[in-house]
């Protein structure tokens, strides 16, 4: 098992954000984590990546307990998070943003190859390689955030709301790219409010409600689940 979360309890001060969340992800999977605002989706990702610390529970990656592992060491293990809201370096160029994604790599030839791979996957970024990140459109910034994450050669990619604020045509494009990244061998834990799109590309899914596991199962079955359809798919 690549990732296993057991009985995760996380607090923001006195606020009990996660209340015994369980989740697992096998190598090669896309696992979608859906739910309404405040359900605990981003908190789950932040706990896996070491930004948050659980009061109770554990996080294991490839059979190694990483619950107390510092965030910078989790990156070295191959767990890379693309945060909600993109959070690119707005006053750096596209190329400089990508170079920041490769900060652990000292092989200049490998970095150059990785950058060309990023530009092949995201041709629009190649056209704008010298442009400041803050001047890009929302869709281009999302592409840059994902490309920057890929520069670190993730084994497990944590994607937090990649479609947020994007036009429908760009949402489809971003999800096609996510599927391609997975087909190239990267496992993905995907937090997404667009439940229809997330479940359409995922292998399995989890539904969180107010910090607890509400439902989980095969993605195609969740898409047909009446509770999921009513709450998240407008059905």
């Amino acid at each position: 098992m690549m990732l296993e979360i057991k009985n995760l309890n996380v607090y923001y001060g006195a606020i009990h954000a996660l209340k015994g969340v369980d989740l697992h992800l096998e190598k090669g999977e896309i696992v979608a984590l859906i739910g309404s605002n405040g359900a605990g989706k981003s908190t789950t990702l932040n706990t896996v990546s070491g930004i948050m610390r659980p009061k109770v529970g554990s996080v294991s990656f490839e059979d190694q307990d990483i619950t107390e592992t510092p965030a910078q060491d989790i990156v070295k293990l191959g767990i890379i998070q693309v945060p909600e809201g993109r959070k690119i370096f707005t006053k750096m160029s596209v190329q400089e943003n990508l170079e920041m994604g490769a900060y652990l790599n000292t092989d200049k030839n490998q970095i150059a190859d990785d950058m060309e791979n990023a530009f092949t996957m995201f041709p629009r970024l190649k056209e704008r390689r010298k442009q400041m990140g803050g001047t890009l459109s929302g869709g281009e910034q999302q592409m840059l955030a994902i490309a920057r994450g890929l520069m670190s050669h993730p084994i497990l990619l944590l994607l937090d709301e990649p479609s947020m604020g994007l036009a429908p045509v760009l949402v489809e494009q971003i999800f096609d790219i996510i599927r391609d990244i997975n087909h190239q061998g990267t496992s993905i834990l995907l937090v997404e409010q667009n439940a229809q799109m997330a479940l359409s590309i995922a292998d399995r899914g989890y539904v969180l409600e107010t910090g607890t596991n509400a439902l989980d199962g095969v993605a195609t079955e969740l898409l047909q689940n009446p509770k999921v359809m009513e709450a998240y798919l407008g059905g």
Side-chain angles (χ1 to χ4, degrees):
M1 191 176 299
M2 176 168 280
L3 178 71
E4 186 172 25
I5 294 170
K6 289 184 178 178
N7 191 33
L8 216 55
N9 284 262
V10 178
Y11 289 77
Y12 291 94
I15 299 171
H16 196 175
L18 296 182
K19 308 164 187 173
V21 168
D22 296 311
L23 178 152
H24 75 273
L25 180 147
E26 302 285 354
K27 183 177 181 180
E29 282 190 314
I30 298 178
V31 171
L33 192 56
I34 64 173
S36 58
N37 281 332
K41 306 184 302 297
S42 293
T43 302
T44 301
L45 289 197
N46 289 339
T47 306
V48 172
S49 63
I51 297 170
M52 300 290 298
R53 287 279 177 260
K55 184 169 283 188
V56 176
S58 65
V59 181
S60 297
F61 178 66
E62 296 189 324
D63 299 322
Q64 176 183 344
D65 190 325
I66 61 168
T67 313
E68 300 296 329
T69 302
Q72 64 270 23
D73 292 334
I74 287 177
V75 168
K76 292 175 184 176
L77 292 173
I79 300 175
I80 304 299
Q81 182 167 353
V82 177
E84 179 183 354
R86 295 135 203 170
K87 294 185 175 66
I88 62 165
F89 300 105
T90 57
K91 296 183 179 179
M92 290 184 177
S93 69
V94 166
Q95 181 167 327
E96 288 168 337
N97 268 272
L98 294 176
E99 289 169 347
M100 288 299 290
Y103 78 98
L104 289 175
N105 193 348
T106 58
D107 185 334
K108 291 184 178 180
N109 291 330
Q110 181 67 63
I111 293 171
D113 288 345
D114 291 343
M115 196 166 296
E116 284 308 310
N117 289 337
F119 288 146
T120 298
M121 184 171 286
F122 302 96
R124 202 175 304 182
L125 296 183
K126 185 170 187 177
E127 299 168 10
R128 291 157 173 73
R129 67 187 301 163
K130 299 299 183 184
Q131 194 170 320
M132 293 298 105
T135 66
L136 301 176
S137 70
E140 291 163 351
Q141 288 188 17
Q142 186 62 68
M143 292 175 190
L144 179 55
I146 294 172
R148 184 183 62 187
L150 294 176
M151 291 292 290
S152 298
H153 288 266
I155 298 171
L156 173 59
L157 189 62
L158 311 178
L159 293 175
D160 197 350
E161 302 286 5
S163 76
M164 181 181 286
L166 300 184
V169 63
L170 281 176
V171 170
E172 289 194 16
Q173 187 176 350
I174 290 294
F175 275 87
D176 284 342
I177 289 165
I178 293 169
R179 189 186 287 113
D180 288 343
I181 292 167
N182 176 250
H183 287 165
Q184 291 172 23
T186 304
S187 304
I188 296 173
L189 181 56
L190 170 65
V191 160
E192 180 55 60
Q193 281 222 299
N194 187 331
Q196 177 78 44
M197 288 297 294
L199 292 172
S200 72
I201 69 166
D203 299 291
R204 293 184 302 107
Y206 290 83
V207 180
L208 292 188
E209 290 181 0
T210 59
T212 62
N213 289 87
L215 288 167
D216 66 85
V218 176
T220 52
E221 293 176 358
L222 288 175
L223 276 170
Q224 304 299 321
N225 185 293
K227 291 181 179 178
V228 175
M229 291 175 70
E230 182 179 359
Y232 306 108
L233 305 179

